[in-house]
Amino acid sequence: MRAGDNADSLDQATKDFVAARPQLFGIAYRVIGSATEAEDIVQEAWVRWQGTDRAGIQEPAAFLATVTTRLAINFTQSARARRESYVGPWLPEPVNTSLDPQLGAERAEAVDLAVLFLLEKLNPVERAAYVLREAFEYTYRRIADIVETSEANARQLVSRARKRLTAERREPVGSAEHRRFLEVFLAAAQNGDLSVLEEILTEDVVSYADGGGVRGASKIPVFGLPHVSRYLAAFAPRFWPQAEVRWVEANGRPAVLVSADGNAVALLSLDVSARGIERIMWVMNPAKLAPYVASLER
């Protein structure tokens, strides 16, 4: 092979990778739940793509998606032990979806923070199969090839994942209603208004604060309407007076970025059904907030 041929080959490989990259990131992020770690997976896929004999590969995007998915599955399997020792509740790392609502997918499914949080309860292969089917509309045959199983088993993997999510999450409200609930919640939380909180929170509401052991966040989830409403009311005078709030979009939903002295301290996100607020999610870990805040400035 002449030097020019090799340069042309690498140039085409780069074009193929750049074209596939949004989908590769979308797959890795949904499977892992971390934008930072998903970027590492995509970078590893690029390294492998450079070192691959590409002459016989007819569909670069399909090949790259397979490599990325398998890398993400392997990473998630090894990350489970680390997350089990995580200090306090673990929440997915938020992403700014204002520029790419689908986050590289054919559909926006499995990008909502609440969905990603529940997907963490699945095993990595179930999670990957669900993501490929629901967000990227892959056929069961392709899913089977990627996760190295039979087509029938691929169907079972997706079916089990759907049932698990359906059992643990009620149908969410639309974006306008979601924002209305968030506006009412924010005002009630800031004022410590117990009566309003008791109206909008469900009986079995849960509040999760992911501080990663760095911030003074609750290290255990707070369960149930009486406990959560009193917790928020008690929290109000200490947290909100010095806080600045900014309305943002995170994972396809309205959210609120809370700052103090010019530094982001929390991203507030809700999971809302027709019953009311089901989950309150406070992402307070600086390592998860920093990439999100940086993305808002780009």
Side-chain angles (χ1 to χ4, degrees):
M1 179 181 289
R2 295 172 300 174
D5 293 337
N6 188 54
D8 290 344
S9 174
L10 186 57
D11 183 57
Q12 185 59 50
T14 302
K15 290 178 181 177
D16 290 336
F17 182 83
V18 170
R21 195 185 190 289
Q23 186 180 95
L24 304 183
F25 177 81
I27 291 171
Y29 173 69
R30 287 170 172 85
V31 175
I32 296 171
S34 165
T36 304
E37 291 164 344
E39 290 285 4
D40 291 341
I41 291 294
V42 172
Q43 182 61 30
E44 177 62 24
W46 165 240
V47 171
R48 296 196 179 197
W49 180 234
Q50 286 178 290
T52 296
D53 181 0
R54 299 179 295 274
I57 296 174
Q58 301 300 314
E59 297 182 55
F63 176 88
L64 287 164
T66 298
V67 169
T68 300
T69 304
R70 290 177 181 173
L71 286 170
I73 289 171
N74 291 339
F75 178 90
T76 304
Q77 288 169 334
S78 64
R80 286 204 156 208
R82 294 196 299 276
R83 289 181 185 174
E84 285 171 2
S85 62
Y86 192 81
V87 178
W90 181 92
L91 292 174
E93 182 184 328
V95 288
N96 177 11
T97 46
S98 60
L99 297 179
D100 181 5
Q102 274 74 35
L103 201 67
E106 279 75 29
R107 299 162 64 187
E109 266 71 9
V111 75
D112 191 306
L113 279 176
V115 174
L116 292 174
F117 173 69
L118 292 176
L119 284 178
E120 183 71 9
K121 300 182 180 183
L122 306 178
N123 73 52
V125 177
E126 285 176 337
R127 184 168 181 160
Y130 177 86
V131 164
L132 292 173
R133 180 64 182 174
E134 296 300 313
F136 296 91
E137 299 184 319
Y138 279 28
T139 65
Y140 288 108
R141 168 58 61 192
R142 282 196 67 191
I143 295 170
D145 290 342
I146 290 171
V147 303
E148 299 177 294
T149 189
S150 67
E151 185 172 350
N153 194 46
R155 290 179 181 275
Q156 285 296 318
L157 290 169
V158 175
S159 177
R160 284 201 300 268
R162 282 178 181 153
K163 288 176 181 176
R164 182 75 180 268
L165 265 65
T166 300
E168 298 205 28
R169 190 191 189 207
R170 289 175 172 82
E171 183 71 21
V173 298
S175 184
E177 185 71 352
H178 185 105
R179 183 180 176 105
R180 186 184 74 80
F181 265 97
L182 183 52
E183 289 172 344
V184 174
F185 173 84
L186 180 61
Q190 288 174 317
N191 296 321
D193 193 331
L194 272 174
S195 62
V196 174
L197 290 170
E198 289 168 352
E199 287 180 11
I200 60 175
L201 302 178
T202 59
E203 284 294 330
D204 50 357
V205 63
V206 187
S207 177
Y208 301 93
D210 179 345
V214 177
R215 297 197 187 277
S218 173
K219 292 183 173 62
I220 58 171
V222 183
F223 293 92
L225 175 57
H227 295 102
V228 173
S229 57
R230 288 199 295 267
Y231 166 73
L232 291 168
F235 191 55
R238 299 196 303 272
F239 183 72
W240 292 108
Q242 306 303 319
E244 306 158 4
V245 299
R246 174 182 176 183
W247 284 87
V248 293
E249 179 180 305
N251 294 69
R253 290 284 187 176
V256 171
L257 183 66
V258 184
S259 300
D261 299 323
N263 298 311
V265 295
L267 181 76
L268 167 63
S269 181
L270 303 179
D271 185 22
V272 186
S273 75
R275 299 194 317 157
I277 296 170
E278 306 275 357
R279 292 178 182 84
I280 306 165
M281 294 167 285
W282 307 86
V283 179
M284 304 178 76
N285 186 335
K288 294 183 179 183
L289 281 176
Y292 176 80
V293 173
S295 75
L296 295 176
E297 309 308 323
R298 288 202 292 267

